[in-house]
Amino acid sequence: MFKIIIKEKYEDLGVEANLLIRDLLQKKEDAVIGLATGSSPLGLYKAMIDDCQNKLTSYQKVVTFNLDEYIGLPIEHPESYRSFMERNLFCGLDLDPDNIHLPFAKDAEDEEACLTYEELIRRYNIDLQVLGIGTNGHIGFNEPKTSFDSPTHIMELTKRTRLDNQRFFDSLDDVPTHAITMGIATIMKAKKHVLLANGVNKAQAIYDMINGPISDEVPASILQKHPDVVVILDKEAAGKL
Ligand code: GLP
């Protein structure tokens, strides 16, 4: 079930989403939070850091799980999702480093890494998962046609996703071709989702997620079956609703 919140501008998205994080941490100081990368959650991450530094929240007992990671980039590469998270969130929170989890696969055949990450997530239970959405409707790195039953797995990225993410690299050739990602079944197990999207280039994916048929062509459409999804949009991303 979707609760849709439409805000005037990008900055308001993060503020709104942060209220849900605050609320969760007030009720459960050892909450398990799923995290996403990309531009969409950056405002939220800034608001989380502000709260933590102003002692409104504490992450000392919080456990985090990231959705995905590129394959083929060393962890210290500035565009690895580990580096992204360090730079944009972890550096400003009082998290215990032992409680931070990101998947990591050494190559596109590393099935072991998928099993290990999936098992670890199962031992916890994600209370709140932050999500963005790809222009093709992907969540995490679950590209169109991914099985709704998929656990953590390795995905070959579509040309469209690689083109979307090219802005962070020198050229398309530098954008990794594969990623390890929580599967759709993994994502669906989270108790609550907060999905953030902004900009006109997300409007069609948001429309399809909410109003389209539930189809593996639009991986995010499976969220229609989840009991608790808060969708926070700016006016452009909500433009087709
Ligand atoms: C990447 C990530 C997704 C993210 C998407 C949208 O492909 N794997 O988790 O939701 O990009 O990114 P952005 O928020 O930058 O538009």
Side-chain angles (χ1 to χ4, degrees):
M1 211 174 70
F2 293 117
K3 178 182 177 192
I4 301 165
I5 301 174
I6 301 171
K7 293 289 184 185
E8 198 64 37
K9 51 186 193 316
Y10 174 77
E11 293 74 56
D12 305 331
L13 269 52
V15 173
E16 187 70 30
N18 185 48
L19 297 178
L20 300 171
I21 301 268
R22 248 191 227 170
D23 185 52
L24 172 66
L25 293 182
Q26 263 158 21
K27 291 184 188 132
K28 193 174 177 191
E29 59 178 1
D30 59 349
V32 182
I33 302 181
L35 297 169
T37 47
S39 322
S40 311
L42 282 178
L44 165 63
Y45 294 164
K46 194 177 164 304
M48 287 164 70
I49 291 174
D50 283 351
D51 267 10
C52 185
Q53 297 193 342
N54 292 318
K55 307 272 180 242
L56 293 173
T57 49
S58 167
Y59 287 81
Q60 280 170 18
K61 295 189 177 166
V62 168
V63 176
T64 70
F65 283 96
N66 264 77
L67 281 169
D68 46 16
E69 176 61 282
Y70 286 122
I71 294 177
L73 293 186
I75 276 182
E76 58 281 2
H77 188 287
E79 295 310 329
S80 78
Y81 283 170
R82 163 71 71 168
S83 299
F84 174 97
M85 293 306 298
E86 292 290 349
R87 192 163 66 235
N88 293 301
L89 185 64
F90 300 153
C91 66
L93 299 183
D94 55 353
L95 280 160
D96 176 346
D98 289 343
N99 288 339
I100 294 174
H101 307 285
L102 279 94
F104 181 81
K106 57 182 186 324
D107 55 43
E109 271 72 54
D110 193 354
E111 294 301 329
E112 187 69 34
C114 302
L115 289 173
T116 309
Y117 200 61
E118 184 70 21
E119 240 168 61
L120 193 61
I121 295 173
R122 275 182 201 195
R123 268 194 258 144
Y124 294 82
N125 213 342
I126 295 179
D127 292 297
L128 183 151
Q129 174 69 54
V130 177
L131 290 174
I133 187 168
T135 55
N136 61 2
H138 75 221
I139 44 176
F141 263 134
N142 291 286
E143 299 282 37
K145 294 276 181 213
T146 302
S147 161
F148 288 150
D149 296 329
S150 53
T152 298
H153 63 114
I154 287 167
M155 188 86 237
E156 182 171 6
L157 304 180
T158 60
K159 180 96 183 276
R160 181 157 174 199
T161 295
R162 293 182 65 236
L163 284 168
D164 283 346
N165 291 352
Q166 187 186 338
R167 65 191 193 279
F168 301 111
F169 295 86
D170 291 338
S171 72
L172 185 59
D173 285 345
D174 294 326
V175 184
T177 55
H178 290 75
I180 178 170
T181 180
M182 281 189 205
I184 295 185
T186 327
I187 292 173
M188 286 297 280
K189 284 196 197 105
K191 289 185 206 152
K192 183 183 189 82
H193 289 286
V194 180
L195 187 144
L196 298 156
N198 62 286
V200 68
N201 62 333
K202 297 292 174 73
Q204 188 63 46
I206 290 295
Y207 176 87
D208 292 342
M209 171 180 85
I210 293 170
N211 295 321
I214 298 177
S215 153
D216 61 9
E217 294 291 347
V218 180
S221 64
I222 192 65
L223 294 169
Q224 290 178 26
K225 288 201 171 168
H226 192 283
D228 188 359
V229 184
V230 181
V231 183
I232 309 178
L233 307 170
D234 72 353
K235 284 187 160 174
E236 284 75 27
K240 288 187 189 266
L241 296 178

